[in-house]
Amino acid sequence: MFRGGPQPINPLARPLRNEDAFNLRFKPVPPEDDEDWLELIRCGGAGEVADTKEEQIARYATEAEKSPEANPDLTEFMLSKPDVIVTCSMDYLIKTWDVNDSYRPLQVFEGHLNFVNVVVPCRGDNLLSCSDDYTCRLWKLGDTGSPGELLMTYWIHGFPIKSVCELPGQRAACGGQDKIVRIFSLVTGHTLHRITDHGVCGPEDSYFQKQGCGAVWSVLHLRGNIIVSGSEDATVRVWDIDTGKALGSAQIGHLGWGEEIGATGLGWKLSERFGDVWKLCHLGKDGNQFASCSYDRTICIWDASDLENVRVIRSWKAAENGVLNVSLMGKCHIASCGSDKEVKIWNFETGELVHKIQTRGIASAVAMIDEHVIAIAGGDATLRIYDWSKGKDLTGTHGFYAHDMTLRSVAKLRHSDQAQSNWTTCPIMYQSCKWPECEADSIVALEQMRRVMKNSLDFQF
């Protein structure tokens, strides 16, 4: 997993940019006084030689022996009861809810300018979100009733961002409709790695890429310096977040609808033989297994113990239409959200259906509250708290209205995870993407949003 840091792309002293070189008023800071650059060097973003394996591992060290930052799939974190659940919606809002006080609303986080697709806890007392407004945003949790505090906005690129996850060393990974997986710094906003493989190459002589496929629907921090991505090109791929390089080859696990696609779909590889990978989730196996779900109605369980040879060990048909989400619900249970308006609980060790829940709309996500209680983010704008062992709603029939539009995701967080001992003290700035490239992406995102805002202001019936 750890093999040493990447070869640095920045020198020990800050290079002189062209615009500064031609500025007669510009006075360079002496290298020994350039505090920002010295900090970058210290955090692994510059230098003359790559970090050794031991130095790389040291950057990931936390005061707590096992922390959720480097080990997000540990059973003790995955199966613990949360204190707060977090929802986001197509109404542009993020909200938090008190699990221990009848799901009383706590805070509203307002700032996104389009659908909020995913929100996840970040370093204990922060939230990290991504949106169709081309941004990821970092938020600070606060007192009940106070407005959610926006800490930073990251303008990523000029396409909707569909997935985000936190990474060790104050970093995050995101993916979206521009077909690129990005690793970026939560401290500086720099894009550290710009991974284009999903949109450039793939199986079957890059068939999917030639058809225009490659959008990244899901990213998952597996363990340590490893993430997994799932894409519209039907592949699951494994990445080293320190080098920005692929580990092993792209794998296909979802094999399409077959002849059940119907007469109009027969003969089309994109639906008959392969399916988009919508979501990925942990299974509480220390990062050695994960699950995926797909447009082709199936769930796959993957063995990731050998990162060079990730493989499917079990799969089954889970719905009568596409499976939009899958989440861990217990030591051997997962929940799926189907486009057939059913949430189902499965034993993922056997593929056995344990319980089935009818929903009024198409549910988008599920989060585990405790061993038998789950929170369902509904397509009908409700948050539904349900005990699947008793087949009973706990907050009124079909839950309560949590947002004004369809919910997009639900996540959980614990107050005990906010301890500073769980998190690395220094950022990790390993990078393969130089400043002009990531700056150009941010400029495109800002210009795109300016056009959208201008068009909305100029619109007339």
Side-chain angles (χ1 to χ4, degrees):
M1 188 164 60
F2 293 105
R3 304 175 182 179
Q7 192 65 34
I9 63 171
N10 295 305
L12 288 175
R14 186 190 295 268
L16 188 64
R17 299 191 301 178
N18 288 336
E19 55 265 40
D20 295 330
F22 292 101
N23 183 356
L24 298 178
R25 297 183 179 181
F26 176 75
K27 294 182 180 180
V29 178
E32 64 274 14
D33 296 331
D34 193 346
E35 295 182 359
D36 290 342
W37 195 260
L38 292 174
E39 180 70 10
L40 184 69
I41 292 171
R42 186 174 73 89
C43 295
E48 295 179 341
V49 296
D51 273 0
T52 64
K53 176 181 177 179
E54 291 71 26
E55 290 170 329
Q56 182 189 21
I57 292 173
R59 293 192 186 277
Y60 282 76
T62 56
E63 186 179 332
E65 183 178 356
K66 289 187 176 181
S67 74
E69 183 176 40
N71 307 280
D73 196 24
L74 285 178
T75 303
E76 61 192 270
F77 303 128
M78 294 300 300
L79 302 184
S80 58
K81 181 177 179 178
D83 301 297
V84 176
I85 54 175
V86 190
T87 58
C88 64
S89 168
M90 293 172 69
D91 66 3
Y92 304 7
L93 299 178
I94 298 165
K95 296 184 180 182
T96 53
W97 310 86
D98 190 340
V99 170
N100 301 310
D101 188 7
S102 302
Y103 301 92
R104 174 173 58 94
L106 297 175
Q107 287 186 280
V108 177
F109 298 79
E110 185 175 6
H112 276 296
L113 301 172
N114 209 321
F115 303 160
V116 188
N117 294 314
V118 176
V119 60
V120 294
C122 181
R123 294 184 68 84
D125 58 354
N126 295 334
L127 300 175
L128 180 64
S129 60
C130 68
S131 167
D132 279 6
D133 68 3
Y134 326 125
T135 71
C136 293
R137 302 192 186 220
L138 186 67
W139 312 83
K140 179 76 171 179
L141 291 168
D143 297 331
T144 301
S146 63
E149 180 185 357
L150 177 62
L151 296 179
M152 197 160 180
T153 299
Y154 310 97
W155 293 92
I156 304 296
H157 57 78
F159 289 82
I161 305 172
K162 298 299 184 179
S163 57
V164 69
C165 68
E166 182 199 15
L167 300 175
Q170 299 180 57
R171 295 173 292 177
C174 68
Q177 288 186 282
D178 75 337
K179 310 173 189 177
I180 297 173
V181 176
R182 284 177 173 80
I183 312 299
F184 65 95
S185 171
L186 296 175
V187 177
T188 67
H190 284 74
T191 295
L192 304 176
H193 301 290
R194 197 173 181 273
I195 306 170
T196 61
D197 295 32
H198 276 297
V200 173
C201 59
E204 304 241 335
D205 190 29
S206 298
Y207 169 80
F208 302 95
Q209 288 68 30
K210 292 174 182 177
Q211 298 297 316
C213 299
V216 180
W217 300 132
S218 185
V219 288
L220 179 74
H221 177 211
L222 199 60
R223 61 183 188 265
N225 63 330
I226 305 300
I227 65 168
V228 184
S229 60
S231 169
E232 180 187 34
D233 70 0
T235 66
V236 165
R237 310 197 194 200
V238 182
W239 312 99
D240 181 329
I241 61 173
D242 291 337
T243 64
K245 301 296 184 182
L247 299 176
S249 58
Q251 299 295 322
I252 291 181
H254 295 279
L255 303 178
W257 283 61
E259 294 186 355
E260 292 180 57
I261 191 64
T264 57
L266 291 177
W268 294 95
K269 281 188 185 181
L270 297 179
S271 52
E272 181 186 347
R273 290 181 50 194
F274 303 104
D276 297 20
V277 181
W278 288 130
K279 291 292 180 181
L280 306 165
C281 81
H282 289 297
L283 293 177
K285 301 286 187 179
D286 295 346
N288 290 310
Q289 291 184 16
F290 64 93
S292 64
C293 63
S294 171
Y295 160 80
D296 74 351
R297 307 168 296 174
T298 66
I299 292 172
C300 288
I301 307 299
W302 299 77
D303 179 359
S305 53
D306 179 1
L307 294 171
E308 303 285 352
N309 186 31
V310 172
R311 60 190 179 89
V312 175
I313 56 177
R314 190 176 303 107
S315 66
W316 66 92
K317 179 181 173 182
E320 294 303 320
N321 207 323
V323 182
L324 301 182
N325 209 319
V326 62
S327 306
L328 182 66
M329 293 295 112
K331 290 183 178 180
C332 60
H333 293 117
I334 55 175
S336 64
C337 299
S339 296
D340 55 3
K341 298 183 180 180
E342 289 183 342
V343 170
K344 296 174 182 175
I345 310 295
W346 304 89
N347 183 320
F348 66 79
E349 303 283 8
T350 64
E352 175 190 2
L353 177 62
V354 177
H355 189 74
K356 183 163 57 176
I357 308 160
Q358 293 288 333
T359 58
R360 292 190 301 190
I362 299 174
S364 56
V366 178
M368 174 187 172
I369 304 299
D370 61 29
E371 188 175 2
H372 294 115
V373 178
I374 60 177
I376 303 173
D380 60 354
T382 62
L383 184 62
R384 187 176 180 184
I385 311 301
Y386 187 88
D387 186 328
W388 59 267
S389 67
K390 299 177 181 178
K392 180 181 179 181
D393 282 295
L394 302 183
T395 52
T397 305
H398 295 288
F400 58 91
Y401 282 100
H403 287 264
D404 292 331
M405 295 183 70
T406 298
L407 276 65
R408 298 288 287 165
S409 84
V410 58
K412 62 180 190 175
L413 60 91
R414 298 187 307 165
H415 294 316
S416 59
D417 290 343
Q418 295 179 12
Q420 292 301 308
S421 60
N422 284 327
W423 315 102
T424 52
T425 56
C426 294
I428 298 176
M429 293 294 293
Y430 294 134
Q431 56 188 291
S432 59
C433 183
K434 290 191 175 182
W435 169 252
E437 190 174 19
C438 62
E439 183 182 48
D441 282 342
S442 296
I443 290 171
V444 169
L446 283 162
E447 289 177 347
Q448 180 75 350
M449 178 50 68
R450 290 190 185 105
R451 284 194 292 270
V452 170
M453 297 295 288
K454 183 179 185 301
N455 290 341
S456 63
L457 292 170
D458 292 344
F459 178 78
Q460 294 180 350
F461 286 102

